[in-house]
Amino acid sequence: MTKVIVIGGGWAGCAAALSAKKAGGDVTLIEKTDLLVGLGNVGGIMRNNGRFTATEENILLGASELFNITDKVARHKNIKFPGHDHATLYDVTKVEPEVRRLLEDRGIKVLLEARAMDVIMEDSKLKGIVLADETIVYGDVFIETTGSTGPIGNCLKYGNGCSMCILRCPSYGPRASISSLAGIEDIVGKRGDECYGAFSGSCKLNKDSLSKEVIETLNREGVVILKIPDEDINLEKLNIKVCQQYALKEFAQNVILLDTGHAL
């Protein structure tokens, strides 16, 4: 049986692990933090814009499992806010345990708090992954899905510093590019001036910290848009964003709250 090693336990890694298992592989998923689905523990948005069609296509092609989970834990459907149409907002406090249970039930070995640090190469061929505790995970096929976020220095140099996001680099260490270590250059998103940019500008708020009126509207409608005073609007901040659906002027002119279990 082909031994498949997936490095990175975000949405892409979980999907890759499921696909490899369906294809008959002996699958191990390596994730450096204590949680699967990565930024999916923050975003909580599915089926928006072109993703709606992509979701339905994937379901018809047999890749329904992860979409079924986000539908199962959805708090709101068909939500509209700047840059997003017909979005589903899923509960980020419930999604990760469901995904972890699914993978383990399918017989996928999940290694959490297992940071990939280096590679074992033989004759220009990748043979194994070296973890932070010096354990070596050998395999026949390797799929890297770690994204391109980090290390912390990039957040300091190109962003507004480390905000201890869901990736929690200070606790679990920065991302190591397995692709680069194996001799393949990373594909990295850049902004217009060719510098690295910020993916998003979102953060989580405890809903209980908001006013009763805002909480009631969030629970009922899924979204609240609060106008920023004109003197505090800075459209130039949009230039640091790479993700263009969040580089709209509305995101500089308003505070946009979404109900994803917390307030996003």
Side-chain angles (χ1 to χ4, degrees), residues 57-159:
E57 288 176 344
N58 274 278
I59 290 172
L60 290 172
L61 289 168
S64 63
E65 296 91 344
L66 297 178
F67 300 109
N68 289 342
I69 287 176
T70 57
D71 286 345
K72 176 182 176 181
V73 300
R75 295 184 62 83
H76 305 276
K77 296 183 178 181
N78 294 319
I79 300 300
K80 181 179 177 64
F81 58 98
H84 299 71
D85 288 318
H86 46 70
T88 292
L89 304 182
Y90 66 81
D91 194 325
V92 298
T93 68
K94 297 179 179 179
V95 71
E96 195 274 346
E98 295 278 352
V99 172
R100 190 187 307 190
R101 190 177 305 115
L102 169 66
L103 267 57
E104 292 175 344
D105 287 348
R106 293 294 176 89
I108 296 168
K109 184 178 181 181
V110 177
L111 301 181
L112 297 176
E113 299 185 68
R115 182 179 173 225
M117 293 282 290
D118 206 347
V119 298
I120 301 295
M121 303 287 292
E122 291 182 11
D123 299 324
S124 300
K125 187 174 182 180
L126 182 58
K127 291 291 187 178
I129 303 296
V130 182
L131 303 182
D133 64 0
E134 300 185 350
T135 299
I136 300 176
V137 182
Y138 291 98
D140 303 305
V141 175
F142 298 85
I143 305 172
E144 181 177 15
T145 61
T146 60
S148 59
T149 302
I152 301 172
N154 283 352
C155 296
L156 295 171
K157 185 175 181 180
Y158 302 107

Side-chain angles (χ1 to χ4, degrees), residues 18 77 101 162 209:
L18 283 168
K77 296 183 178 181
R101 190 177 305 115
C162 175
S209 68

Side-chain angles (χ1 to χ4, degrees), residues 166-217:
I166 193 65
L167 301 179
R168 293 164 290 164
C169 295
S171 296
Y172 293 103
R175 167 185 177 264
S177 172
I178 300 303
S179 300
S180 294
L181 291 168
I184 301 173
E185 185 177 355
D186 277 341
I187 298 174
V188 180
K190 294 183 179 180
R191 59 197 191 202
D193 60 3
E194 291 299 306
C195 286
Y196 299 115
F199 177 76
S200 182
S202 63
C203 62
K204 290 294 180 187
L205 298 174
N206 186 333
K207 272 204 294 187
D208 291 339
S209 68
L210 304 173
S211 71
K212 180 180 178 180
E213 180 183 15
V214 169
I215 293 173
E216 289 176 349
T217 305

